């Protein structure tokens, strides 16, 4: 009888651990999705700034040539 109780307790603990693992995996996947959005935003912002700098440089060169 004692062995059966230990097996049942072990099964309950295993199920609890499985639920915790799934909850952690879901949280990690949500974090990855958020991080991907943040990285995409940062990359787009960096590209925009680079384009603005390039345009500014080109305009400055043109102004120097026209003077």
């Amino acid at each position: 009888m004692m062995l059966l109780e230990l097996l049942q307790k072990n099964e309950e603990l295993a199920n609890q651990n499985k639920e915790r693992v799934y909850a952690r995996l879901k949280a990690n996947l949500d974090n990855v999705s958020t991080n991907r959005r943040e990285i995409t935003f940062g990359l787009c912002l960096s590209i925009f700034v680079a384009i603005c700098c390039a345009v500014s440089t080109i305009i400055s060169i043109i102004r120097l040539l026209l003077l």
Side-chain angles (χ1 to χ4, degrees), residues 27-39:
N28 286 343
L29 287 174
D30 290 344
N31 286 341
V32 167
S33 175
T34 301
N35 289 344
R36 188 175 294 139
R37 273 185 252 124
E38 291 172 358
I39 290 170

Side-chain angles (χ1 to χ4, degrees), residues 31-55:
N31 286 341
V32 167
S33 175
T34 301
N35 289 344
R36 188 175 294 139
R37 273 185 252 124
E38 291 172 358
I39 290 170
T40 302
F41 175 75
L43 185 61
C44 290
L45 189 61
S46 298
I47 291 171
F48 175 74
V49 169
I51 290 172
C52 288
C53 289
V55 169

Side-chain angles (χ1 to χ4, degrees), residues 1-47:
M1 189 67 177
M2 193 137 179
L3 182 60
L4 183 60
E5 290 173 1
L6 285 173
L7 286 172
Q8 288 174 341
K9 183 69 174 171
N10 190 32
E11 187 176 350
E12 289 173 11
L13 290 173
N15 285 335
Q16 289 175 1
N17 285 339
K18 186 166 62 170
E19 290 171 8
R20 286 186 191 132
V21 168
Y22 285 139
R24 285 183 186 170
L25 282 173
K26 184 179 181 324
N28 286 343
L29 287 174
D30 290 344
N31 286 341
V32 167
S33 175
T34 301
N35 289 344
R36 188 175 294 139
R37 273 185 252 124
E38 291 172 358
I39 290 170
T40 302
F41 175 75
L43 185 61
C44 290
L45 189 61
S46 298
I47 291 171

